[in-house]
Amino acid sequence: MQTQTINDEIHQTLENIYDFIKNNEKINEDFIEYTKTLGIYGASENKIREYALTYIFERAVPDFEQNPIMIYNEQNKTELSKAMENAFTSIFEVKRVLKNGFEVYNLINEKNYDLNITTKMTDYRGLGTGQFIVARIFEFKGENYIIEITSYLKSSQKEDAMRYAMTKIIQEPYLVYEDNKLKEKEIQENIESMYNKFIEAFGKDEIMTSSKFADEIIGQFNDYCENKTPIDIKDKTTLPESLEYFEVSELNNDYDNFVEKSLDGFSSHKKNYDTGIIYDKNYGLYVIPFYKTISTILEENSLENIKGAKECIEHFLKSPTIPPNILERLNPKFTEMANKVLDKNITFEEMMKEYKQEYLRHKIYSQTTILYNSKVFTNTLGIVAENEKHSNIDYSNVKRNEPCPCGSGKKYKHCCMK
């Protein structure tokens, strides 16, 4: 099939899905609400169509709990529309301009792609090597196609590009490996190796501690893995004086300074709280706030003995950071208590379908494991750490041709002065 024919089919399929949205009463009602939320209700048809692409691929439509293209495919599936269901958005560095597209490097999953455009190359005039694009792509019959490009970054904005990649990894961690089986194999091998070392170091796969000591324990584990440094956590497993659940502002996902928070660690948090350090054999290392609290609530089978017990159950059920495999460790008591809080009588599987859908759609390894295996995270972490180190240096009286105070060995004018 010729490229132009495929391009025509892609555009026609998107038109068909858009018409499907407009003609389905329930979906159209939700789409109108969506446009009102974005402040574009009543805008021109072309403006609304621009935003429709995000709606088609990313919106979980109430009553369906699926995005519109999935709903469309239940009734009107074609080979092409089914392939488009697996489209994903990432940030790519342009390596080379091709006749009908671009050779790019995906910053998130560290994989190279040849991307075919679905419009005219003249639409991308000025886009060249070294620049970055945020694009939604999909694979069809061994070829990758661009559905849309939502933004561009100059080559000088590499740090911004890396931070965008970090945001996507935090929001959708499976993007690191889902379209890169070699990367997933690397992650799985790392999990298996590190799990064995965790058991070897601590003799068990769960450690109860507090946020005050969590960083030190993880640090000791890292040292053990690298240098076989003896583990000594006898005075690091002290829990807070009382168990209670409360909101921790520092745990809120603020994507703009996630890396800075990673450098600060748990010990920098204003309030101390109990923390579970858990190594799951299949999914990796987790640091779970209030793990002892919820375990005690379930053991005592009561919502009265611990302050914030009801909110704690709801947090573990509804928070996107708590995966089903952690809840499975707390079962069957968790299901019983959650039903009590929700005033329902449903199974664990039904709860997961309602509250943990993303984990059912994708195999999601622990965030810590994914970040440890992500080049963009380690590189960004290094840049921020270096910037923080340099921010403590006094450059005020340094002359252009003097050695740079940062210790690089270069002249100041060729180093930090820039």
Side-chain angles (χ1 to χ4, degrees), residues 222-275:
N222 288 336
D223 290 341
Y224 178 82
C225 292
E226 292 176 10
N227 306 310
K228 287 290 183 180
T229 306
I231 295 283
D232 181 12
I233 60 168
K234 289 178 183 177
D235 60 341
K236 303 292 188 300
T237 54
T238 305
L239 296 172
E241 290 184 10
S242 62
L243 296 176
E244 62 175 301
Y245 174 79
F246 50 86
E247 287 193 18
V248 180
S249 60
E250 293 92 343
L251 293 174
N252 294 333
N253 270 338
D254 185 343
Y255 304 122
D256 290 335
N257 66 351
F258 176 83
V259 179
E260 286 82 352
K261 285 183 178 180
S262 299
L263 286 168
D264 291 340
F266 293 94
S267 58
S268 66
H269 296 178
K270 292 177 182 177
K271 294 186 73 173
N272 190 30
Y273 51 87
D274 68 276
T275 306

Side-chain angles (χ1 to χ4, degrees), residues 197-209:
K197 289 178 180 177
F198 195 91
I199 298 299
E200 187 181 276
F202 300 109
K204 52 187 176 181
D205 65 0
E206 289 185 7
I207 298 169
M208 300 292 189
T209 182

Side-chain angles (χ1 to χ4, degrees), residues 304-364:
E304 309 300 326
N305 300 339
I306 290 180
K307 186 178 179 181
K310 180 177 178 292
E311 291 79 7
C312 186
I313 297 293
E314 290 179 336
H315 167 74
F316 271 74
L317 182 61
K318 297 177 181 179
S319 171
T321 64
I322 307 293
N325 53 297
I326 292 297
L327 298 183
E328 284 175 359
R329 288 172 173 257
L330 302 168
N331 241 358
K333 292 181 179 179
F334 178 81
T335 302
E336 295 171 10
M337 190 60 75
N339 272 320
K340 187 176 180 179
V341 169
L342 299 169
D343 194 23
K344 292 183 178 182
N345 185 23
I346 58 178
T347 65
F348 180 78
E349 289 72 23
E350 289 169 332
M351 280 184 193
M352 297 305 100
K353 187 175 181 180
E354 184 172 352
Y355 296 102
K356 306 291 183 184
Q357 271 226 356
E358 198 68 8
Y359 288 93
L360 301 182
R361 291 196 191 109
H362 309 276
K363 184 173 184 179
I364 302 178

Side-chain angles (χ1 to χ4, degrees), residues 124-162:
Y124 303 101
R125 187 179 288 118
L127 181 60
T129 303
Q131 292 179 281
F132 301 89
I133 57 172
V134 177
R136 190 186 309 276
I137 73 168
F138 77 102
E139 182 185 353
F140 182 61
K141 295 186 175 180
E143 298 283 338
N144 290 291
Y145 295 89
I146 298 173
I147 294 177
E148 62 173 337
I149 294 179
T150 55
S151 62
Y152 305 82
L153 290 173
K154 299 175 183 177
S155 55
S156 61
Q157 295 176 285
K158 185 169 184 177
E159 189 173 338
D160 293 331
M162 292 169 71

